[in-house]
Amino acid sequence: RIGLSGRIGADNLLLEISPLEGPTTKFKLDGGVLLRDIRLQAAPGINNGHANLEVHKFSWSGPLGFGGELELSAGAAELAGLHLSDANGNLSFRQDEIVVNDFDGVFLGGQLSTSAPALDNPRDQTTRPGKISLGLVPEAPIELRLYLRNGKLSNIRDSFGMGGNLAGQIDFDLDVRATSPSPLDYSGDIDLRIRDGVLGAVPVLSEMWKVAGVQAPIFDSGQFLVHANSTANRGRLRIEKFTLSHDLLQVTGKGWIGLDSYLNVKATVRSALIPVLGWGFPILTDLFFDPLFEQDVIGPIDNPRIAQRVLNKLSAADKIHIPFSLWVPKIERTDWRRSPAFPPANSGANQVSRK
């Protein structure tokens, strides 16, 4: 179910088997194990993984009677297309699940771990415990509670070849669980923060500024709260809130993003003048000024349709939902006079040579 493959080798490994003859064979392991070319197809996806495992105790007496403790070190892999290195942790094998505790590694130039202080109160150094677990049952449920601190947005820009300005520090809390490895079955929350940033290479924002007719500003901080519910909102992620801040501007919004990258978001652009025009009363700002600066962002994330929300509501044409190319498969036109029972003429099948 999880698409795990790779190579395994021994490094001063002791194997004890008893009895050599009998209906049930038991064995114990102690020593080193080498993992190479590890690949995991289940989300978030792992490629080109390698690590060292030190087996402290592992015993097997049958499919329902095994367990052990292993120590992971010198791990590295391509995680979701991004480089993870210097991974360490403790693995516990049980008959129903594999649990990774005390995990930490270098990801996006920062520290990815199963323990970190809260994002809202950096002065409070009390750490929250995280977890990585994989259920050893046919459904293969997954649980991830991971924290990233002091990551670098420039690493994302370099890894994916993004042009323009994209820099700053990135932190996130990831708390998700799934009843199977399918992305459709994931539920949970993601809290992503950006600080000391240079956010000038976000395609959706660039299109918003084109609609507004102003030069794209460079934001220095942001926050994104995303919630997934595989039962109520299968195939979609709820953007509970996103905020991008600038000395003179602020963008706030909420909405949805589909797993096929289809956006449906309402964004509000506020400037420093809005509180002044609202005479210091937030209710006046919300009722009279926000509608003038609200925009609808609908469509594929790489090419959304953006329009003023007020005009979008007044225009009947804009209310028609136009599907984009990911939803409509391309149909190849064929000769209607040719029977589908015969292979294409250029396939080389059933051809008769004529002299």
Side-chain angles (χ1 to χ4, degrees), residues 96-161:
D96 59 345
E97 68 175 344
I98 301 175
V99 179
V100 182
N101 293 309
D102 301 326
F103 174 84
D104 68 85
V106 178
F107 185 67
L108 293 177
Q111 185 180 33
L112 182 68
S113 65
T114 53
S115 63
L119 284 174
D120 292 322
N121 189 4
R123 294 183 179 180
D124 183 5
Q125 295 301 310
T126 303
T127 59
R128 295 166 298 162
K131 181 181 181 182
I132 304 173
S133 70
L134 170 65
L136 299 179
V137 294
E139 295 79 14
I142 297 174
E143 183 176 356
L144 300 173
R145 289 204 309 269
L146 289 168
Y147 312 106
L148 176 69
R149 296 295 182 265
N150 301 318
K152 296 179 177 58
L153 278 175
S154 58
N155 286 32
I156 299 179
R157 179 196 62 202
D158 297 339
S159 297
F160 293 110

Side-chain angles (χ1 to χ4, degrees), residues 69-80:
E69 303 292 331
L70 294 82
E71 182 178 352
L72 172 75
S73 63
E78 297 297 325
L79 178 63

Side-chain angles (χ1 to χ4, degrees), residues 32-310:
V33 176
L34 305 177
L35 302 179
R36 298 293 183 266
D37 301 330
I38 301 300
R39 185 175 180 228
L40 182 68
Q41 295 180 355
I46 294 177
N47 288 293
N48 302 321
H50 61 85
N52 300 332
L53 290 176
E54 185 68 25
V55 183
H56 295 298
K57 55 179 180 178
F58 186 90
S59 61
W60 169 281
S61 60
L64 298 179
F66 67 91
E69 303 292 331
L70 294 82
E71 182 178 352
L72 172 75
S73 63
E78 297 297 325
L79 178 63
L82 300 168
H83 188 60
L84 170 70
S85 62
D86 298 331
N88 302 278
N90 297 319
L91 283 73
S92 298
F93 278 75
R94 307 172 199 163
Q95 64 183 29
D96 59 345
E97 68 175 344
I98 301 175
V99 179
V100 182
N101 293 309
D102 301 326
F103 174 84
D104 68 85
V106 178
F107 185 67
L108 293 177
Q111 185 180 33
L112 182 68
S113 65
T114 53
S115 63
L119 284 174
D120 292 322
N121 189 4
R123 294 183 179 180
D124 183 5
Q125 295 301 310
T126 303
T127 59
R128 295 166 298 162
K131 181 181 181 182
I132 304 173
S133 70
L134 170 65
L136 299 179
V137 294
E139 295 79 14
I142 297 174
E143 183 176 356
L144 300 173
R145 289 204 309 269
L146 289 168
Y147 312 106
L148 176 69
R149 296 295 182 265
N150 301 318
K152 296 179 177 58
L153 278 175
S154 58
N155 286 32
I156 299 179
R157 179 196 62 202
D158 297 339
S159 297
F160 293 110
M162 301 173 63
N165 298 321
L166 187 62
Q169 302 289 322
I170 178 172
D171 306 318
F172 68 66
D173 289 356
L174 175 68
D175 185 0
V176 296
R177 63 210 61 86
T179 55
S180 82
S182 171
L184 294 173
D185 292 330
Y186 274 71
S187 297
D189 300 282
I190 303 173
D191 185 353
L192 186 147
R193 313 285 181 95
I194 298 171
R195 51 192 169 82
D196 303 326
V198 178
L199 304 177
V202 182
V204 173
L205 294 178
S206 301
E207 293 297 325
M208 287 178 57
W209 306 130
K210 289 181 182 179
V211 173
V214 298
Q215 185 177 359
I218 305 298
F219 293 95
D220 53 20
S221 63
Q223 179 182 10
F224 300 84
L225 296 176
V226 181
H227 176 73
N229 187 322
S230 61
T231 302
N233 305 309
R234 191 171 179 82
R236 294 195 303 169
L237 302 177
R238 172 68 178 173
I239 305 174
E240 300 287 352
K241 180 183 76 171
F242 75 84
T243 303
L244 295 170
S245 299
H246 180 270
D247 290 339
L248 300 177
L249 283 175
Q250 185 182 58
V251 177
T252 61
K254 59 183 179 180
W256 299 88
I257 178 171
L259 294 183
D260 56 0
S261 301
Y262 191 90
L263 284 173
N264 189 345
V265 174
K266 182 191 78 171
T268 301
V269 182
R270 287 180 175 178
S271 73
L273 295 177
I274 297 303
V276 177
L277 295 175
W279 295 287
F281 295 95
I283 189 172
L284 294 180
T285 299
D286 295 337
L287 291 177
F288 296 102
F289 292 101
D290 276 1
L292 300 178
F293 299 94
E294 290 179 349
Q295 297 186 7
D296 283 331
V297 183
I298 302 174
I301 193 170
D302 58 344
N303 186 25
R305 185 184 65 175
I306 301 175
Q308 292 288 347
R309 187 171 177 83
V310 173

